Amino acid sequence: MSYSSILYICIFLPAVILLYGITPQRHRGKILLAASYLFFYMLSGKLLVYLILSTFSIHHIGLWLSSCRREFELEKRQIPQEQREPLKKAYTAKRRKILLFAVLLHVGMLLFLKYFNFFGTNVNHLLQLLSVPIQIPQLKLAVPLGISFYTLQAVSYIVDVYQGKTEADDNIGRLALYMAFFPVIMEGPICRYSQTAPDLYQGKQLAYRNVTFGYQRIVWGLFKKLVIADRLNPLVKTIFENHQDYGGVVVIAGAVLYTFQLYADFSGCIDITIGTGEIFGVKIPENFRQPFFSKTASEFWRRWHITLGTWFKDYIFYPVSLTHFVKNLSKKTKNRFGKHAGQIVTSAFALFGVWFCNGLWHGTGWNYIFFGLYYFVLILLGNIFEPWIQSAADRLHIDRHSRWYSCLQRIKLLLIVFTGELFFRAEGLRAGTDMFRSVFTEFDLSALTDGSLFSLGISRADYLAVLAGFAVVLLVGILHEKGISIRERAARWGIIRRWSFYYGAVLAVVIFGAYGPGYRAVDLIYAGF
Amino acid sequence: MEKLLSILEDLNSDIDYETETKLIDNGLLDSMSILSLVSDLEDAFDVEITPVELVPDNFNSARAMWQMVQRLQEA
């Protein structure tokens, strides 16, 4: 049951809303939790036990960390000032061990279930090359739905409790709902405990504005998913799964259209998620902010999959940057080669951690690791050359804020993103390399006029629907960039104009969406990660 | 406070640090600027800034940074 399915939109969600609405406030959180576990069970069956175990463990560990802090505060008051520092050190060491255990437990489970066979295969290749007669067996491992997402939520909760940013929650129901909330479990966004948990379990009254705004956001998500992403799917599949048959312009079209498919699919799903949360009065964090209007790779990643980026920033980038080793190395470099070199050392270590994990998080394949390291190199190079670029711009009297310079930056960024997505979607690193090479070796513009683009699984009508859909998404993006909220504006219109707009939006999905006979339901792309 | 303002001016002189209260929320300071700032603050005020302190509330304004520095000096 994907979020864009009729089962979810027309049966599951309305049933949950109905049950939620007729249930007394104090039990509404339990209704959402039961619905979330049912949703998970329908998709992942008995693997629900992993999610429940994770929830129990973070509940227990959170309380353990909290009781350690309380014990320390109590003991501290009973001893003289000079003995407090050793006591603090002892408790910090104990709490650090608990944190390490919790992180290893959760990340270890993710690594084992998701990556054991990937690493096993690669180690076996290596052992074979070295003629070592040992092989790591391949295990039949079933990976629970959303493990990559809920594991990061679990780790963030534990680290936040350890750092004192969040109080440990003694209500296991609230914690369980934070981990399992059904619109979030499949594709995120990766929420922090303080962002969603309190509202989730509060059981807020269903409000007209929340329900209408929520459904509007869901329709917008369906529009992106069904009109753009799912219509493009046959073309993307044809090119990437038969990449040896294509080259040049067709591969470029594949990379560009896959990027738009991924954006429409993932951001559309997030719209449905945020809209669902809105119905229940829960503000789920935004995950996209017009990423294609970015000028640099760093900015792109601050606007694309925002919650993953901020998770990596808070739990990898900053902690790695502020380790004594990195700080000392950075200081030594700064003293010897100047401030900029010191900063580069820090960013090199921290960015490598972030982008290696980012690549690996997305999947088990060398193309994903390449994808992560591709951005690592690009962003690091951007940081290294920034002073020289600025000085060249000053000498040439180039205004880096001018419209034409920004335009060039945006074009460069799009080329970077399309290239990255080519490797990301490719059926392995070798296929990605072959496809990238073919762009140059088989470049032939005649593919644009000889009808090749119409033999890729989608018709002229599909192209037109996608083009129209994309124009609407672009227009909405431009309005959002200008700070204009269409929903807020529409809410102020007169009843006839307003409801014509709402019906028009629903009809656009019904008429132009790719579903029903002749179409196969397309799985959510990020649910696979 | 003057020393802090001077560090911030070195980082980006286009910002009015006396009045700006959303340095992080408005994206005026990115993560690389924060790291540079952390290093300068540690050197200038002899404090140790840990990841726990790296939250928007501590870096959204010069005043918030100054309060953080004073708190860390007292600790």
Side-chain angles (χ1 to χ4, degrees):
Chain A
M1 177 172 49
S2 108
Y3 298 131
S4 58
S5 67
I6 290 174
L7 181 60
Y8 179 83
I9 300 290
C10 299
I11 299 172
F12 185 83
L13 184 58
V16 178
I17 295 171
L18 182 70
L19 272 174
Y20 181 92
I22 60 172
T23 304
Q25 187 185 3
R26 67 180 188 282
H27 296 305
R28 284 183 190 144
K30 289 167 201 148
I31 292 291
L32 289 183
L33 180 59
S36 299
Y37 278 168
L38 175 67
F39 183 83
F40 195 101
Y41 185 79
M42 286 166 79
L43 287 161
S44 245
K46 289 174 187 166
L47 298 179
L48 175 62
V49 76
Y50 283 108
L51 176 62
I52 294 173
L53 283 176
S54 278
T55 305
F56 270 111
S57 77
I58 62 164
H59 178 249
H60 181 75
I61 291 165
L63 293 177
W64 193 7
L65 284 167
S66 189
S67 75
C68 266
R69 187 186 289 272
R70 273 199 309 276
E71 277 172 34
F72 166 66
E73 293 297 333
L74 273 174
E75 280 188 44
K76 192 174 82 172
R77 278 184 220 139
Q78 293 160 1
I79 57 171
Q81 184 79 32
E82 62 274 14
Q83 288 175 18
R84 286 182 184 176
E85 200 49 39
L87 185 74
K88 187 181 173 187
K89 275 187 182 161
Y91 268 102
T92 304
K94 185 180 174 186
R95 295 179 78 249
R96 205 169 277 169
K97 276 181 198 161
I98 298 171
L99 173 72
L100 189 67
F101 165 72
V103 172
L104 286 178
L105 180 73
H106 287 90
V107 176
M109 199 187 290
L110 173 67
L111 287 175
F112 176 70
L113 291 174
K114 201 168 157 184
Y115 302 101
F116 180 85
N117 286 336
F118 171 65
F119 285 115
T121 307
N122 285 290
V123 170
N124 285 345
H125 284 317
L126 193 67
L127 292 173
Q128 244 172 356
L129 276 174
L130 300 169
S131 306
V132 180
I134 304 167
Q135 290 284 286
I136 296 171
Q138 293 285 293
L139 304 177
K140 280 185 182 168
L141 295 168
V143 183
L145 172 80
I147 188 170
S148 302
F149 293 93
Y150 75 69
T151 298
L152 297 194
Q153 292 205 161
V155 170
S156 74
Y157 170 74
I158 289 296
V159 175
D160 287 356
V161 170
Y162 169 80
Q163 294 184 333
K165 288 181 187 168
T166 296
E167 283 295 315
D169 196 341
D170 55 1
N171 185 333
I172 194 162
R174 184 163 43 215
L175 204 51
L177 186 52
Y178 159 68
M179 289 282 281
F181 188 40
F182 65 89
V184 174
I185 191 73
M186 245 176 157
E187 290 204 330
I190 299 153
C191 307
R192 305 294 169 83
Y193 176 83
S194 57
Q195 285 174 323
T196 54
D199 282 347
L200 270 174
Y201 215 64
Q202 206 178 323
K204 287 181 181 173
Q205 187 75 31
L206 290 173
Y208 173 78
R209 186 189 157 90
N210 285 347
V211 175
T212 50
F213 269 49
Y215 263 107
Q216 286 165 29
R217 188 83 190 248
I218 289 173
V219 170
W220 177 233
L222 286 172
F223 179 83
K224 286 194 216 170
K225 166 78 177 144
L226 296 177
V227 178
I228 302 176
D230 288 4
R231 275 195 187 274
L232 284 174
N233 190 56
L235 175 142
V236 171
K237 262 173 83 87
T238 303
I239 295 175
F240 280 88
E241 288 177 11
N242 308 285
H243 65 92
Q244 57 277 37
D245 299 339
Y246 302 105
V249 172
V250 175
V251 168
I252 295 173
V256 171
L257 294 176
Y258 171 65
T259 306
F260 293 142
Q261 184 206 7
L262 182 65
Y263 173 69
D265 186 284
F266 192 18
S267 73
C269 163
I270 295 295
D271 288 321
I272 298 172
T273 295
I274 292 175
T276 307
E278 221 167 344
I279 289 172
F280 299 108
V282 180
K283 194 168 165 41
I284 292 170
E286 293 290 342
N287 221 19
F288 291 90
R289 199 164 40 83
Q290 295 81 254
F292 297 111
F293 292 151
S294 309
K295 293 180 202 162
T296 64
S298 308
E299 188 190 355
F300 177 80
W301 280 95
R302 287 197 295 272
R303 289 165 168 254
W304 171 286
H305 207 172
I306 297 168
T307 55
L308 181 70
T310 49
W311 195 97
F312 281 130
K313 185 179 79 180
D314 289 346
Y315 301 106
I316 295 181
F317 184 83
Y318 285 146
V320 170
S321 307
L322 299 183
T323 54
H324 287 296
F325 170 74
V326 173
K327 269 186 182 174
N328 289 339
L329 192 63
S330 172
K331 260 181 198 154
K332 278 181 193 162
T333 314
K334 181 179 162 185
N335 293 338
R336 187 145 183 208
F337 300 105
K339 191 174 177 180
H340 181 60
Q343 285 171 354
I344 293 303
V345 167
T346 308
S347 61
F349 276 96
L351 287 173
F352 180 81
V354 166
W355 288 104
F356 180 76
C357 291
N358 186 307
L360 198 61
W361 180 87
H362 277 96
T364 52
W366 285 105
N367 56 320
Y368 294 114
I369 294 173
F370 174 84
F371 174 78
L373 296 181
Y374 166 77
Y375 276 104
F376 162 68
V377 171
L378 287 173
I379 293 173
L380 187 65
L381 287 177
N383 290 343
I384 291 171
F385 290 113
E386 174 56 29
W388 285 286
I389 294 169
Q390 184 59 52
S391 127
D394 290 343
R395 253 184 281 142
L396 297 168
H397 304 292
I398 293 170
D399 178 7
R400 293 178 78 192
H401 300 294
S402 64
R403 194 168 280 191
W404 72 267
Y405 191 86
S406 299
C407 189
L408 284 179
Q409 279 185 304
R410 287 195 175 105
I411 292 169
K412 179 199 74 181
L413 190 264
L414 286 176
L415 292 176
I416 287 172
V417 173
F418 295 148
T419 307
E421 296 305 339
L422 170 73
F423 283 93
F424 187 78
R425 175 61 178 84
E427 310 272 305
L429 185 54
R430 180 165 292 176
T433 316
D434 289 346
M435 290 177 83
F436 184 68
R437 197 183 302 118
S438 80
V439 168
F440 303 98
T441 56
E442 296 172 37
F443 189 82
D444 181 6
L445 284 174
S446 65
L448 290 173
T449 50
D450 65 4
S452 299
L453 296 177
F454 295 110
S455 61
L456 297 168
I458 68 172
S459 65
R460 199 175 291 265
D462 287 320
Y463 275 111
L464 285 174
V466 167
L467 200 65
F470 186 71
V472 174
V473 171
L474 184 66
L475 180 69
V476 171
I478 292 170
L479 292 174
H480 282 171
E481 275 295 281
K482 291 182 174 176
I484 298 168
S485 163
I486 298 160
R487 289 189 298 167
E488 293 282 356
R489 285 220 167 168
R492 290 198 294 269
W493 291 343
I495 189 162
I496 295 174
R497 191 179 174 199
R498 190 170 75 239
W499 280 94
S500 304
F501 172 69
Y502 296 159
Y503 276 119
V506 173
L507 281 175
V509 176
V510 173
I511 295 169
F512 298 114
Y515 63 93
Y519 290 99
R520 285 182 59 196
V522 183
D523 290 338
L524 299 168
I525 297 172
Y526 258 72
F529 301 141
Chain B
M1 184 74 173
E2 272 178 33
K3 203 157 132 187
L4 172 68
L5 286 173
S6 154
I7 290 170
L8 288 168
E9 287 289 330
D10 280 348
L11 195 66
N12 186 345
S13 55
D14 295 337
I15 302 169
D16 180 6
Y17 294 101
E18 305 260 10
T19 56
E20 183 57 59
T21 55
K22 287 187 174 175
L23 289 167
I24 304 293
D25 298 344
N26 289 344
L28 296 168
L29 291 182
D30 62 13
S31 47
M32 294 309 298
S33 310
I34 296 283
L35 285 185
S36 171
L37 193 54
V38 165
S39 167
D40 290 343
L41 293 176
E42 287 190 334
D43 289 346
F45 298 104
D46 194 25
V47 290
E48 188 185 357
I49 298 173
T50 61
V52 187
E53 305 292 346
L54 300 185
V55 289
D57 284 351
N58 284 341
F59 287 88
N60 256 331
S61 67
R63 185 171 294 278
M65 288 180 223
W66 181 237
Q67 282 169 352
M68 175 189 70
V69 167
Q70 285 182 313
R71 180 165 44 80
L72 292 172
Q73 281 177 326
E74 285 162 16

